[in-house]
Amino acid sequence: MNKNAIAAGTFLATALCLPALAAPSGTPKAGELSFSLSGGPEFVLDGDVHGGTNAPVADLGPLNPSLAGVAATLQIQSRDYDDVYGTLYAVQGEFAYGLDRQSELFGALTYGWADGGRLQVGGAAVPALNTTLPVFGRFDDYKYWGLDAGYRYFLTDGGDFHPYVAGRASVQWVDKINATFTIPDANIALNNVRFYGDSTVWGAGLDVGFLWQAAPALSVGLETGLRYSGDLNDDDADIGGLGLASINNTGSRWSVPVKASVRFTF
Protein backbone atom coordinates (compact mmCIF):
# COMPACT_ATOMS: atom_id res chain seq x y z
CA MET A 1 0.00 0.00 0.00
CA ASN A 2 1.53 3.36 -1.01
CA LYS A 3 1.87 6.38 1.19
CA ASN A 4 -0.97 8.22 -0.52
CA ALA A 5 -3.39 5.37 0.19
CA ILE A 6 -2.31 5.23 3.84
CA ALA A 7 -2.75 8.99 4.17
CA ALA A 8 -6.15 8.83 2.52
CA GLY A 9 -7.23 6.00 4.79
CA THR A 10 -6.02 7.84 7.88
CA PHE A 11 -7.84 11.00 6.81
CA LEU A 12 -11.07 9.05 6.17
CA ALA A 13 -10.91 7.29 9.55
CA THR A 14 -10.27 10.59 11.32
CA ALA A 15 -13.14 12.25 9.49
CA LEU A 16 -15.49 9.43 10.50
CA CYS A 17 -14.42 9.64 14.14
CA LEU A 18 -14.65 13.41 14.53
CA PRO A 19 -18.46 13.57 14.68
CA ALA A 20 -18.46 11.01 17.48
CA LEU A 21 -15.75 12.90 19.37
CA ALA A 22 -17.57 16.21 18.95
CA ALA A 23 -21.02 14.85 19.75
CA PRO A 24 -22.67 16.09 22.93
CA SER A 25 -21.98 13.84 25.86
CA GLY A 26 -25.64 13.87 26.91
CA THR A 27 -26.78 13.28 30.47
CA PRO A 28 -24.30 12.27 33.21
CA LYS A 29 -22.35 9.05 33.10
CA ALA A 30 -21.57 6.96 36.16
CA GLY A 31 -18.59 8.51 37.94
CA GLU A 32 -18.63 11.68 35.83
CA LEU A 33 -17.95 15.00 37.59
CA SER A 34 -19.32 18.38 36.60
CA PHE A 35 -19.12 21.92 37.91
CA SER A 36 -21.82 24.58 37.48
CA LEU A 37 -22.07 28.30 38.08
CA SER A 38 -25.55 29.79 38.39
CA GLY A 39 -27.34 32.86 39.61
CA GLY A 40 -30.56 34.81 39.54
CA PRO A 41 -33.42 36.31 41.54
CA GLU A 42 -35.47 34.67 44.27
CA PHE A 43 -39.09 35.76 44.58
CA VAL A 44 -40.62 35.35 48.05
CA LEU A 45 -44.13 33.89 48.00
CA ASP A 46 -44.79 34.00 51.74
CA GLY A 47 -42.92 34.93 54.90
CA ASP A 48 -42.74 37.82 57.36
CA VAL A 49 -39.68 39.80 58.39
CA HIS A 50 -41.64 40.77 61.48
CA GLY A 51 -45.08 40.22 62.93
CA GLY A 52 -47.56 42.66 64.41
CA THR A 53 -48.66 43.58 67.94
CA ASN A 54 -50.12 46.37 70.06
CA ALA A 55 -47.74 47.37 72.85
CA PRO A 56 -48.77 49.98 75.46
CA VAL A 57 -45.98 52.34 76.54
CA ALA A 58 -46.84 54.10 79.81
CA ASP A 59 -44.30 56.90 79.39
CA LEU A 60 -42.53 58.15 76.27
CA GLY A 61 -40.14 60.18 78.43
CA PRO A 62 -37.22 57.70 78.21
CA LEU A 63 -37.46 57.94 74.40
CA ASN A 64 -37.89 61.73 74.29
CA PRO A 65 -37.61 63.74 77.56
CA SER A 66 -39.98 66.41 76.24
CA LEU A 67 -42.72 63.74 76.18
CA ALA A 68 -42.31 62.73 79.84
CA GLY A 69 -45.59 61.46 81.24
CA VAL A 70 -47.18 61.01 77.81
CA ALA A 71 -48.49 57.48 77.14
CA ALA A 72 -48.86 55.76 73.77
CA THR A 73 -49.67 52.44 72.21
CA LEU A 74 -47.28 51.11 69.58
CA GLN A 75 -49.43 49.56 66.88
CA ILE A 76 -46.94 47.52 64.86
CA GLN A 77 -48.21 45.78 61.73
CA SER A 78 -46.62 42.71 60.14
CA ARG A 79 -44.33 43.26 57.16
CA ASP A 80 -43.25 40.53 54.76
CA TYR A 81 -40.03 40.01 52.80
CA ASP A 82 -41.44 41.73 49.74
CA ASP A 83 -42.28 44.82 51.82
CA VAL A 84 -38.84 45.06 53.43
CA TYR A 85 -36.45 43.52 50.92
CA GLY A 86 -38.23 43.09 47.62
CA THR A 87 -36.40 40.54 45.45
CA LEU A 88 -33.55 38.46 46.86
CA TYR A 89 -30.60 37.41 44.69
CA ALA A 90 -28.19 34.48 44.85
CA VAL A 91 -25.12 33.08 43.09
CA GLN A 92 -24.10 29.45 43.41
CA GLY A 93 -21.28 27.05 42.61
CA GLU A 94 -22.17 23.35 42.35
CA PHE A 95 -20.33 20.05 41.97
CA ALA A 96 -22.27 17.02 40.70
CA TYR A 97 -21.36 13.31 40.57
CA GLY A 98 -23.06 11.08 38.02
CA LEU A 99 -24.69 7.87 39.27
CA ASP A 100 -25.89 6.71 35.86
CA ARG A 101 -27.21 8.15 32.59
CA GLN A 102 -30.20 9.77 34.27
CA SER A 103 -29.25 10.65 37.83
CA GLU A 104 -26.62 12.43 39.90
CA LEU A 105 -25.85 13.69 43.38
CA PHE A 106 -24.87 17.31 43.89
CA GLY A 107 -23.53 19.71 46.49
CA ALA A 108 -23.56 23.49 46.21
CA LEU A 109 -22.24 26.63 47.90
CA THR A 110 -24.52 29.69 47.73
CA TYR A 111 -24.20 33.38 48.55
CA GLY A 112 -27.45 35.34 48.76
CA TRP A 113 -28.35 38.93 49.51
CA ALA A 114 -31.05 41.61 49.44
CA ASP A 115 -30.87 45.33 50.14
CA GLY A 116 -32.72 46.57 53.20
CA GLY A 117 -35.04 49.57 53.02
CA ARG A 118 -37.04 52.10 55.03
CA LEU A 119 -40.79 51.67 55.32
CA GLN A 120 -43.68 52.43 57.63
CA VAL A 121 -44.17 49.55 60.07
CA GLY A 122 -47.14 50.91 62.02
CA GLY A 123 -48.18 53.80 64.22
CA ALA A 124 -48.01 55.17 67.74
CA ALA A 125 -51.45 56.06 69.08
CA VAL A 126 -51.08 59.00 71.49
CA PRO A 127 -54.35 59.77 73.33
CA ALA A 128 -52.97 63.02 74.76
CA LEU A 129 -52.47 64.33 71.23
CA ASN A 130 -55.58 62.64 69.86
CA THR A 131 -53.59 61.27 66.95
CA THR A 132 -51.61 58.31 65.66
CA LEU A 133 -48.05 59.08 64.62
CA PRO A 134 -46.42 56.97 61.89
CA VAL A 135 -43.61 54.59 62.96
CA PHE A 136 -40.89 53.77 60.43
CA GLY A 137 -38.30 51.01 60.32
CA ARG A 138 -35.07 50.58 58.40
CA PHE A 139 -33.52 47.10 58.32
CA ASP A 140 -29.99 45.93 57.60
CA ASP A 141 -29.28 44.13 54.35
CA TYR A 142 -30.14 40.43 54.27
CA LYS A 143 -27.00 38.34 53.60
CA TYR A 144 -26.27 34.63 53.89
CA TRP A 145 -23.99 31.76 52.91
CA GLY A 146 -25.55 28.36 52.28
CA LEU A 147 -24.72 24.72 51.59
CA ASP A 148 -27.07 22.46 49.62
CA ALA A 149 -27.02 18.73 48.97
CA GLY A 150 -29.43 16.88 46.74
CA TYR A 151 -30.40 14.41 44.02
CA ARG A 152 -31.20 15.25 40.38
CA TYR A 153 -33.06 12.99 37.95
CA PHE A 154 -32.98 13.62 34.19
CA LEU A 155 -36.10 12.76 32.20
CA THR A 156 -34.08 11.86 29.09
CA ASP A 157 -30.81 9.94 28.59
CA GLY A 158 -29.69 11.33 25.23
CA GLY A 159 -29.93 14.21 22.80
CA ASP A 160 -29.13 17.84 23.43
CA PHE A 161 -32.07 18.86 25.63
CA HIS A 162 -32.21 17.44 29.15
CA PRO A 163 -35.17 18.34 31.40
CA TYR A 164 -34.86 17.28 35.02
CA VAL A 165 -36.37 17.34 38.49
CA ALA A 166 -34.42 17.53 41.75
CA GLY A 167 -34.78 17.63 45.52
CA ARG A 168 -32.43 19.30 47.98
CA ALA A 169 -31.78 19.97 51.66
CA SER A 170 -29.96 23.10 52.75
CA VAL A 171 -28.43 24.97 55.64
CA GLN A 172 -27.92 28.73 55.57
CA TRP A 173 -25.89 31.02 57.80
CA VAL A 174 -27.69 34.35 57.86
CA ASP A 175 -25.91 37.48 59.12
CA LYS A 176 -27.40 39.38 62.04
CA ILE A 177 -30.00 41.99 61.18
CA ASN A 178 -30.30 45.22 63.13
CA ALA A 179 -32.99 47.85 62.64
CA THR A 180 -33.61 51.54 63.26
CA PHE A 181 -37.10 52.57 64.34
CA THR A 182 -38.20 56.19 64.22
CA ILE A 183 -41.26 58.27 65.03
CA PRO A 184 -40.28 61.50 63.24
CA ASP A 185 -43.27 63.52 64.43
CA ALA A 186 -42.30 62.81 68.05
CA ASN A 187 -38.55 63.21 67.49
CA ILE A 188 -37.98 59.61 68.62
CA ALA A 189 -35.27 57.37 67.14
CA LEU A 190 -34.15 53.92 68.25
CA ASN A 191 -30.91 53.37 66.35
CA ASN A 192 -29.15 50.10 65.59
CA VAL A 193 -31.69 47.98 67.47
CA ARG A 194 -30.79 44.29 67.72
CA PHE A 195 -33.51 42.38 65.88
CA TYR A 196 -32.14 39.06 64.56
CA GLY A 197 -28.88 37.52 65.66
CA ASP A 198 -26.59 35.42 63.47
CA SER A 199 -28.81 32.50 62.46
CA THR A 200 -28.37 28.93 61.28
CA VAL A 201 -31.40 28.15 59.13
CA TRP A 202 -32.42 24.75 57.75
CA GLY A 203 -34.39 24.41 54.56
CA ALA A 204 -35.47 22.21 51.67
CA GLY A 205 -36.53 22.57 48.06
CA LEU A 206 -37.81 20.99 44.86
CA ASP A 207 -36.45 21.99 41.44
CA VAL A 208 -37.48 21.70 37.81
CA GLY A 209 -35.23 22.77 34.97
CA PHE A 210 -33.32 21.82 31.86
CA LEU A 211 -29.81 21.67 30.48
CA TRP A 212 -29.01 22.23 26.82
CA GLN A 213 -25.81 20.69 25.51
CA ALA A 214 -23.91 23.51 23.78
CA ALA A 215 -20.58 21.64 23.35
CA PRO A 216 -19.10 18.27 24.34
CA ALA A 217 -18.25 19.46 27.85
CA LEU A 218 -20.45 22.54 28.13
CA SER A 219 -24.15 22.94 28.94
CA VAL A 220 -26.33 25.94 29.69
CA GLY A 221 -29.56 25.76 31.62
CA LEU A 222 -32.48 27.35 33.39
CA GLU A 223 -34.03 26.27 36.69
CA THR A 224 -36.86 27.20 39.00
CA GLY A 225 -38.64 25.50 41.89
CA LEU A 226 -39.94 25.96 45.40
CA ARG A 227 -37.80 26.65 48.49
CA TYR A 228 -38.48 26.75 52.22
CA SER A 229 -36.14 28.40 54.75
CA GLY A 230 -36.82 28.26 58.51
CA ASP A 231 -37.10 30.92 61.21
CA LEU A 232 -34.29 33.33 62.08
CA ASN A 233 -32.78 33.67 65.57
CA ASP A 234 -34.67 36.52 67.27
CA ASP A 235 -32.84 38.97 69.56
CA ASP A 236 -35.12 40.80 71.99
CA ALA A 237 -32.42 42.62 74.00
CA ASP A 238 -33.45 46.06 72.73
CA ILE A 239 -37.15 45.67 71.91
CA GLY A 240 -38.33 43.46 74.78
CA GLY A 241 -38.67 46.39 77.18
CA LEU A 242 -41.07 48.07 74.76
CA GLY A 243 -43.37 45.06 74.68
CA LEU A 244 -42.28 44.12 71.16
CA ALA A 245 -40.58 40.81 71.92
CA SER A 246 -43.13 38.84 69.88
CA ILE A 247 -42.72 40.61 66.56
CA ASN A 248 -39.44 38.91 65.57
CA ASN A 249 -40.48 35.32 66.38
CA THR A 250 -40.50 34.62 62.66
CA GLY A 251 -38.25 35.07 59.61
CA SER A 252 -39.11 31.89 57.68
CA ARG A 253 -40.05 32.12 54.01
CA TRP A 254 -41.33 30.24 50.97
CA SER A 255 -39.76 31.39 47.73
CA VAL A 256 -39.31 30.67 44.03
CA PRO A 257 -35.78 31.03 42.62
CA VAL A 258 -35.10 31.52 38.92
CA LYS A 259 -31.52 30.65 37.96
CA ALA A 260 -29.54 30.61 34.73
CA SER A 261 -26.52 28.29 34.72
CA VAL A 262 -23.45 27.20 32.82
CA ARG A 263 -22.09 23.69 33.43
CA PHE A 264 -18.70 22.17 32.68
CA THR A 265 -18.18 18.40 32.55
CA PHE A 266 -14.83 16.78 33.34
Side-chain angles (χ1 to χ4, degrees):
M1 184 177 294
N2 61 37
K3 293 181 179 180
N4 289 336
I6 294 173
T10 302
F11 176 80
L12 180 60
T14 302
L16 291 173
C17 290
L18 279 176
L21 294 173
S25 60
T27 50
K29 301 177 179 67
E32 185 177 75
L33 289 175
S34 64
F35 175 71
S36 302
L37 289 172
S38 63
E42 182 177 333
F43 303 100
V44 179
L45 297 178
D46 184 60
D48 289 336
V49 174
H50 66 78
T53 191
N54 290 332
V57 179
D59 185 359
L60 293 174
L63 305 177
N64 181 351
S66 65
L67 296 176
V70 176
T73 298
L74 299 177
Q75 300 172 335
I76 305 301
Q77 301 166 351
S78 63
R79 293 291 183 262
D80 61 26
Y81 275 87
D82 189 55
D83 294 329
V84 178
Y85 290 112
T87 303
L88 282 69
Y89 296 90
V91 292
Q92 185 175 84
E94 176 193 290
F95 279 99
Y97 176 81
L99 299 177
D100 55 41
R101 290 287 294 178
Q102 287 186 264
S103 62
E104 63 185 12
L105 299 175
F106 64 86
L109 175 66
T110 305
Y111 177 71
W113 73 94
D115 295 333
R118 181 177 182 269
L119 71 162
Q120 185 174 350
V121 297
V126 185
L129 302 178
N130 194 30
T131 190
T132 298
L133 307 176
V135 178
F136 295 90
R138 178 181 292 276
F139 295 84
D140 285 349
D141 295 347
Y142 187 98
K143 295 180 288 186
Y144 72 88
W145 288 95
L147 288 175
D148 289 29
Y151 171 82
R152 183 176 291 117
Y153 179 78
F154 290 89
L155 304 180
T156 62
D157 63 356
D160 296 342
F161 182 74
H162 312 302
Y164 63 80
V165 294
R168 67 179 66 219
S170 67
V171 58
Q172 297 174 357
W173 294 275
V174 184
D175 287 357
K176 68 178 182 179
I177 297 173
N178 290 350
T180 293
F181 295 104
T182 58
I183 308 176
D185 293 338
N187 196 27
I188 290 174
L190 300 175
N191 297 307
N192 206 30
V193 171
R194 288 168 285 186
F195 203 75
Y196 287 116
D198 292 332
S199 303
T200 300
V201 176
W202 296 93
L206 296 174
D207 308 329
V208 294
F210 70 85
L211 291 172
W212 178 73
Q213 200 80 32
L218 174 67
S219 301
V220 294
L222 191 64
E223 180 181 281
T224 187
L226 183 64
R227 299 278 195 278
Y228 173 76
S229 297
D231 286 346
L232 301 176
N233 181 25
D234 61 299
D235 188 340
D236 300 329
D238 297 324
I239 63 175
L242 295 172
L244 302 177
S246 66
I247 67 172
N248 57 352
N249 296 337
T250 184
S252 62
R253 70 180 189 274
W254 289 92
S255 57
V256 173
V258 178
K259 301 190 302 180
S261 67
V262 57
R263 170 170 163 142
F264 307 92
T265 301
F266 304 110

